[in-house]
Amino acid sequence: MTNFTYSAAALDRLKANDSDVFKALMQEEVRQSEGIELIPSENYCFPEVYALLGSVFNNKYSEGYPGRRYYGGQENTDIIENLARDRAKSLFRAEYANVQPLGGSAMNQAIYFGLLQPGDTILAMDLSHGGHLTHGAPVSHMSKVFNFVRYKSEVPTGNIDLAKVRALALEHKPKMIICGFSSYPRELDYAGFKKIADEVGALTFADVSHIGGLIAGGALANPMDFGFDVMSTTTHKSLRGPRGGMILAKKQYGQALDKSVFPGLQGGPHMHQVAAVATTLKLAAEEPFKKYARDVIANAKTLAQTLLQQGAELVTGGTDNHMMVVNTINSFNINGTVAEHVLDAAGITLNKQMVPDDPNPPLKPSGIRLGTPAATARGMGENEMKLLGNIMVRALRSHEDTVALEKLRDETRAICSRFPVPGVSNDGKSHSSAAA
Ligand code: DSN
């Protein structure tokens, strides 16, 4: 049996031949292990994913689809892509799957170009209310190609008033209605969106990138069960796979979507990524992942409760999923950028975030966004969420006291040392330690 690309010898070569990159890799392993990752879109992938991303599948060009490729030598790539597509269809109860999109932006662009014509109107959620750049934010290229109209959530409850969405739909007659978000902590009314779309003859598209793993694990509702036409998810967030994107849809859109991904938008798919997606989907269908998905949400609710009890103001007042948005100006009198830096100093990584109708600019917004997928992947539970919530609040209240922040960093480090990062040090050794 051969095993030549992903052995300790490969790391030895890296160390010998590029010590600068090797050193940065070692430092990043330490950073990820010693601090706590609360950026809700990040996670620690399944350890199997590292093996496949560092495998010989990286070397293969596979333009086309299984059974009809443009290059030879596809007997193994066909196996993995067929497995990935079949597993995706089964896990998300979809008739069609495409696992080739290189990432979230590519998957969404492929959907727009595959199912719409330039100039068509799309109804999507406003960015500051939780929507995503790729849902037609004015700075995105897609906003120049398609006519995006935006709906908002209600402030301060965060509810999406479907009567207002319907009024916008009746006024603008969109060809597609998108529901999905990158910073919205509540569950969506998929049946309600579908009813409006049917009334105006629009396609329904759910971008579940943030919650794909929670849907796969059965902890949140699946838009495909409500008759949605198309759904997209990135594969590296709550799903714990490699970086990448995936499209699921009704069978009738399959041909157009396949053509839109390749050759419309992309050339050769990244087959090491596709292989890792295949394995991710197998693991995500198993019982431990169902528990993981439930635990992510339980942890988020506990963390939200801890912050609320300490006087923090949460956008929408809480969470139904894995994430929360804190208004740091109202809660601690500091903007999200300062809060992000202060918490970094305390060993807690999260990101600054606009709040609905934020009066402040994106680089100095009024809040922060945080979530629990990565902490839960380390095995942390409700006790750790309470401890981390308390460290956060103490750090934000003593944001000018560097000595206090250093002490809080030690507290964070002590918690993290009890929960190794999967695949990096859960055997007591670093993933790369053979060469260190
Ligand atoms: N960057 C991702 C997020 O943080 O939500 C989405 O693209």
Side-chain angles (χ1 to χ4, degrees), residues 83-119:
L83 280 172
R85 293 195 301 192
D86 289 346
R87 288 172 180 173
K89 287 190 275 186
S90 159
L91 191 59
F92 290 102
R93 297 181 288 285
E95 294 168 352
Y96 160 88
N98 189 309
V99 293
Q100 292 194 6
L102 303 180
S105 303
M107 84 196 168
N108 287 350
Q109 284 180 30
I111 289 171
Y112 300 144
F113 283 107
L115 302 184
L116 302 173
Q117 295 299 318

Side-chain angles (χ1 to χ4, degrees), residues 329-346:
I329 291 196
N330 289 356
S331 312
F332 305 101
N333 207 23
I334 51 177
N335 69 39
T337 306
V338 175
E340 181 189 293
H341 290 148
V342 166
L343 291 166
D344 250 338

Side-chain angles (χ1 to χ4, degrees), residues 119-124 147-151 164-177 196 200-202:
D120 279 353
T121 296
I122 304 173
L123 183 57
N147 173 38
F148 283 90
V149 176
R150 294 175 187 88
Y151 61 87
K164 290 186 182 167
V165 176
R166 178 171 177 267
L168 283 170
L170 290 171
E171 180 186 348
H172 295 281
K173 302 269 181 303
K175 291 275 168 47
M176 173 181 277
I177 298 180
I196 295 168
V200 298

Side-chain angles (χ1 to χ4, degrees), residues 67-78:
R68 46 192 175 94
R69 308 271 195 193
Y70 289 80
Y71 292 40
Q74 306 290 350
E75 53 270 40
N76 300 309
T77 46
D78 277 5

Side-chain angles (χ1 to χ4, degrees), residues 23-329:
K23 195 169 155 217
L25 171 63
M26 293 297 103
Q27 288 169 186
E28 181 61 9
E29 287 194 357
V30 171
R31 189 193 72 79
Q32 291 195 15
S33 296
E34 289 190 352
I36 185 69
E37 183 55 70
L38 293 182
I39 294 175
S41 50
E42 293 189 15
N43 209 337
Y44 305 108
C45 65
F46 289 115
E48 291 85 341
V49 168
Y50 292 124
L52 290 161
L53 289 182
S55 75
V56 291
F57 280 123
N58 174 71
N59 303 336
K60 191 73 197 105
Y61 259 123
S62 303
E63 284 95 330
Y65 291 97
R68 46 192 175 94
R69 308 271 195 193
Y70 289 80
Y71 292 40
Q74 306 290 350
E75 53 270 40
N76 300 309
T77 46
D78 277 5
I79 291 172
I80 57 164
E81 188 166 350
N82 277 326
L83 280 172
R85 293 195 301 192
D86 289 346
R87 288 172 180 173
K89 287 190 275 186
S90 159
L91 191 59
F92 290 102
R93 297 181 288 285
E95 294 168 352
Y96 160 88
N98 189 309
V99 293
Q100 292 194 6
L102 303 180
S105 303
M107 84 196 168
N108 287 350
Q109 284 180 30
I111 289 171
Y112 300 144
F113 283 107
L115 302 184
L116 302 173
Q117 295 299 318
D120 279 353
T121 296
I122 304 173
L123 183 57
M125 194 168 185
D126 185 269
L127 184 64
S128 82
H129 284 248
H132 190 251
L133 273 177
T134 60
H135 301 171
V139 290
S140 75
H141 290 323
M142 288 305 102
S143 73
K144 300 182 182 83
V145 179
F146 300 98
N147 173 38
F148 283 90
V149 176
R150 294 175 187 88
Y151 61 87
K152 296 183 172 187
S153 59
E154 299 298 299
V155 179
T157 62
N159 294 334
I160 295 172
D161 184 345
L162 284 181
K164 290 186 182 167
V165 176
R166 178 171 177 267
L168 283 170
L170 290 171
E171 180 186 348
H172 295 281
K173 302 269 181 303
K175 291 275 168 47
M176 173 181 277
I177 298 180
I178 306 180
C179 53
F181 49 76
S182 62
S183 64
Y184 182 69
R186 295 298 180 184
E187 179 68 304
L188 296 174
D189 178 357
Y190 298 116
F193 274 101
K194 173 84 171 99
K195 195 167 164 215
I196 295 168
D198 286 349
E199 191 178 348
V200 298
L203 294 167
T204 37
F205 165 26
D207 178 347
V208 299
S209 290
H210 261 261
I211 54 172
L214 307 181
I215 292 170
L220 289 180
N222 178 359
M224 300 311 287
D225 293 342
F226 294 84
F228 267 55
D229 295 300
V230 60
M231 181 162 101
S232 68
T233 182
T234 44
T235 49
H236 49 276
K237 296 188 175 89
S238 51
L239 205 48
R240 297 192 62 195
R243 300 195 79 91
M246 186 184 337
I247 299 172
L248 302 136
K250 289 182 176 165
K251 196 172 184 174
Q252 69 207 75
Y253 306 115
Q255 209 178 356
L257 288 167
D258 271 353
K259 276 167 72 176
S260 185
V261 173
F262 172 85
L265 189 67
Q266 297 182 176
H270 293 174
M271 297 314 292
H272 57 319
Q273 168 196 328
V274 172
V277 166
T279 294
T280 296
L281 293 169
K282 178 171 190 293
L283 297 172
E286 294 174 355
E287 216 42 56
F289 194 79
K290 294 186 171 64
K291 178 176 181 326
Y292 166 74
R294 289 194 301 272
D295 288 349
V296 166
I297 296 177
N299 279 344
K301 285 183 187 294
T302 301
L303 185 49
Q305 202 52 39
T306 307
L307 296 172
L308 286 167
Q309 279 163 357
Q310 309 260 354
E313 181 183 308
L314 267 60
V315 171
T316 83
T319 184
D320 295 332
N321 55 34
H322 63 301
M323 80 164 93
M324 58 220 82
V325 179
V326 181
N327 187 320
T328 52
I329 291 196

